[in-house]
Amino acid sequence: MSATHAALVQFLPLAGDTFDKNKVTPGLLGFIVFAALALGVWGLMKSMSRHMGRVDFEEAPEPAPAADPATRA
């Protein structure tokens, strides 16, 4: 029997008395997953911002508007 299995056998009967089957919450694991995703998105946004700041983009000049032949006469 592993230590994890032994701990589950000890704590599951205690949770059975207070566990409400009509109420489901994400719990600590849900918070940890959400926090990890939030940190990952924050890191990606910071990296994207840094990379976009390094881009040296110059637009081509707009062509001169062609003269309208009807307005010349």
Side-chain angles (χ1 to χ4, degrees):
M1 182 185 298
S2 69
T4 306
H5 186 265
L8 286 174
V9 169
Q10 291 294 322
F11 292 119
L12 280 179
L14 296 175
D17 297 336
T18 60
F19 183 69
D20 184 10
K21 293 181 181 182
N22 296 324
K23 182 179 178 184
V24 178
T25 61
L28 181 62
L29 179 62
F31 174 75
I32 291 171
V33 169
F34 181 78
L37 287 172
L39 283 172
V41 168
W42 177 78
L44 286 172
M45 293 294 290
K46 189 168 179 76
S47 174
M48 183 187 70
S49 175
R50 194 175 327 130
H51 281 84
M52 292 300 285
R54 292 180 184 168
V55 172
D56 185 24
F57 178 73
E58 293 181 18
E59 290 188 30
E62 291 186 23
D68 190 12
T71 57
R72 280 188 179 190

